[in-house]
Amino acid sequence: MKKVTFGLGLALVLALSLTITAFAAPITVEGTVSNIDEVAGTFTLTLADGVTTYTVTPSAGFDWTTIADGATVEVSGEDDGAGNITGASVTPATTETVVSGQIQSIDYTTCTFTILTSEGTTLTVLLPEGTDCSGLLLGGYVEVTGTLNEDLTFSASGVVVTPTPSEEGVNTGFYCSNPSVPHPALSKVAAEHLTDYGAALNWFCGGGLGIGGVDKVLSFGEAYGKTPDEILGMRETMGWGRIWKTLQAEAAAVAIESGEIQTQGNGNGHGGGKPEWAGGGGNGHGKANGKNK
């Protein structure tokens, strides 16, 4: 009897072991660090939803000085299905972005340079110490990858020289690549014309318009009773000067047809050639007047 009981108990233990193992699965998540406990060898990871949390046990030999409360990290390990990640590798989360622009100035000693983005923003780019920046030229175009700092400098991890862009095309500058960050000048234009910022950003990023172009689309539309789409349609075949003259002519024609403008005029005159003493004969005078109302 004892022998049978032992066999059943062993089977139960094996079954539980298999069940627990079945729940373990590879997982990679990103979140914020809190509740660091070096003694227990764990910390809490809260995901971006602010609700989901994991207790993380880093792999052996983990350097605890590489993390701190509030840091954003990426964790890869085994999820046991009960909110624990074990044997985890922990690395800082990447939050890099890409910005393109034209080089305005270069300090080859420090490999620091400024670029003017396609959105009209000037950024000071900081390259890692020891970077060879001899290939960068004043007036050249570059694409830099890195992080925008609070002081509006840009810490770059890499830089690539790019061809000179054409005037038309899609804007891929910082504010177009990061629509959640409002463009100061574009936001002001949208607010002044009581226009949705998202619509203005679409014209700016994908419509081939600068800040001034967006302002003209809205200003002309308001002044002459046109929709932005109508102004944009005219822009496909006309310059801004011709658009303005066309709108003025249309407005004047409508005003005349409606009777808002009346025109009247009269004139008379006659003329002659050379005086008699010069071998000819004749004299001339003329008079004309007109009035618009």
Side-chain angles (χ1 to χ4, degrees):
M1 182 67 70
K2 289 183 180 180
K3 193 172 183 179
V4 174
T5 302
F6 176 77
L8 290 175
L10 180 59
L12 180 60
V13 170
L14 290 173
L16 289 173
S17 175
L18 290 173
T19 302
I20 292 172
T21 303
F23 276 105
I27 186 173
T28 298
V29 289
E30 183 178 304
T32 304
V33 174
S34 63
N35 303 324
I36 298 173
D37 188 341
E38 292 187 42
V39 176
T42 63
F43 65 86
T44 299
L45 185 74
T46 303
L47 304 193
D49 61 11
V51 177
T52 307
T53 61
Y54 290 94
T55 298
V56 179
T57 303
S59 56
F62 176 68
D63 183 359
W64 291 92
T65 63
T66 60
I67 62 171
D69 281 347
T72 302
V73 297
E74 183 179 271
V75 172
S76 295
E78 294 291 324
D79 178 7
D80 68 357
N84 301 297
I85 300 178
T86 58
S89 64
V90 182
T91 57
T94 58
T95 56
E96 291 189 328
T97 188
V98 177
V99 180
S100 58
Q102 184 181 29
I103 297 177
Q104 305 296 298
S105 65
I106 309 176
D107 183 342
Y108 289 103
T109 304
T110 61
C111 273
T112 299
F113 60 94
T114 61
I115 62 172
L116 179 66
T117 71
S118 55
E119 298 150 335
T121 303
T122 300
L123 288 178
T124 298
V125 180
L126 314 174
L127 290 176
E129 186 176 352
T131 301
D132 180 9
C133 54
S134 60
L136 301 180
L137 299 175
L138 188 66
Y141 287 83
V142 294
E143 183 178 88
V144 291
T145 302
T147 305
L148 182 67
N149 304 314
E150 292 183 0
D151 62 358
L152 297 184
T153 59
F154 192 87
S155 295
S157 59
V159 57
V160 177
V161 176
T162 60
T164 301
S166 60
E167 292 185 2
E168 299 296 329
V170 177
N171 186 335
T172 58
F174 175 77
Y175 291 102
C176 293
S177 301
N178 299 270
S180 61
V181 181
H183 189 300
L186 187 62
S187 298
K188 183 178 179 181
V189 169
E192 288 176 349
H193 294 283
L194 303 178
T195 297
D196 176 63
Y197 175 76
L201 187 66
N202 285 336
W203 301 330
F204 179 69
C205 296
L209 298 179
I211 301 296
V214 173
D215 184 61
K216 286 184 175 66
V217 167
L218 298 173
S219 297
F220 286 173
E222 292 168 0
Y224 296 98
K226 299 286 187 179
T227 66
D229 285 342
E230 289 175 315
I231 301 297
L232 290 169
M234 298 175 71
R235 177 61 178 166
E236 291 179 0
T237 57
M238 304 181 190
W240 291 118
R242 184 180 172 192
I243 291 174
W244 179 67
K245 291 180 180 179
T246 300
L247 292 172
Q248 279 195 317
E250 289 180 358
V254 170
I256 292 174
E257 184 176 349
S258 65
E260 294 180 15
I261 297 179
Q262 297 178 356
T263 61
Q264 65 178 24
N266 57 75
N268 58 74
H270 62 273
K274 298 179 181 179
E276 294 180 0
W277 58 265
N283 56 75
H285 64 271
K287 178 180 179 182
N289 60 76
K291 181 170 64 174
N292 291 329
K293 182 179 179 181

